[in-house]
Amino acid sequence: MQAIPTKLTRPLISVSKFIRHRDHCGALRHHGGPSIPSNAPTIQFTFVNPHPSQAKKGEPLEKLTVQARIGETLLQTAHRNDVDLEGACEGVCACSTCHLIFQENVFENLDDPSEDEEDMLDMAFGLTATSRLGCQVKVTQEMEGMEVRLPAATRNFYVDGHVPQPH
């Protein structure tokens, strides 16, 4: 069998590895988030209310301090640490189930959200002035020691009660 000559100057990339979903700046969104090596530098921060379905009314919210890899998304950090942050769209900014609420001083230092993220946030349960999507916020050194809160519930238009498992 003879090979067919091509004009490709770069290797083919599997479509299953990521979705070609571009934000308003043209950035490629990787399905599941960016690939960060397990030996990447880390910081510590705390998820407040990491298991919203188990929270008891009137009792203090549970806190879970985790190691986060610099460069990964907060959704990836949550999934690696068994935090109940859904991420139904698997991190491509097509839902609001990874909605997080930041402290004001942390929120002010985050990059501005894209128009796509703002559109998805409009559908988030319990939206606040300091809300962002966990799939769109990458861990930075400046987040060391922060607390980020999960809302009491999420709004999943796909199917209520179904929690997809990360691959």
Side-chain angles (χ1 to χ4, degrees):
M1 211 169 174
Q2 188 175 7
I4 300 171
T6 66
K7 292 185 178 184
L8 291 177
T9 57
R10 62 177 191 217
L12 291 175
I13 300 172
S14 169
V15 174
S16 65
K17 182 145 175 128
F18 63 85
I19 292 178
R20 291 183 176 274
H21 184 88
R22 297 185 182 275
D23 67 15
H24 73 286
C25 296
L28 192 61
R29 292 204 182 114
H30 296 270
H31 202 66
S35 179
I36 304 299
S38 59
N39 64 347
T42 62
I43 62 161
Q44 278 192 340
F45 70 82
T46 301
F47 284 106
V48 178
N49 198 25
H51 308 290
S53 63
Q54 298 172 13
K56 292 183 173 70
K57 194 171 185 171
E59 291 188 17
L61 294 175
E62 178 187 359
K63 293 184 178 187
L64 177 67
T65 300
V66 298
Q67 288 291 124
R69 297 175 186 150
I70 304 285
E72 73 182 348
T73 66
L74 296 184
L75 178 62
Q76 289 174 299
T77 301
H79 285 177
R80 280 191 312 96
N81 289 279
D82 298 320
V83 172
D84 295 342
L85 189 61
E86 188 172 348
C89 73
E90 298 185 14
V92 295
C93 197
C95 73
S96 63
T97 61
C98 65
H99 168 216
L100 292 169
I101 302 166
F102 289 83
Q103 298 164 304
E104 194 165 331
N105 63 324
V106 174
F107 180 83
E108 290 171 356
N109 291 312
L110 297 175
D111 290 338
D112 289 338
S114 68
E115 287 182 38
D116 288 345
E117 182 180 358
E118 288 176 342
D119 289 345
M120 290 298 111
L121 279 168
D122 287 341
M123 296 185 287
F125 178 88
L127 186 66
T128 73
T130 62
S131 291
R132 289 292 303 269
L133 297 181
C135 69
Q136 298 302 298
V137 178
K138 290 185 180 176
V139 175
T140 64
Q141 185 67 49
E142 293 74 31
M143 293 176 177
E144 177 75 45
M146 78 169 177
E147 287 189 353
V148 62
R149 183 169 52 92
L150 277 70
T154 63
R155 188 173 287 142
N156 183 343
F157 294 105
Y158 170 64
V159 62
D160 268 321
H162 173 73
V163 179
Q165 297 300 311
H167 324 248

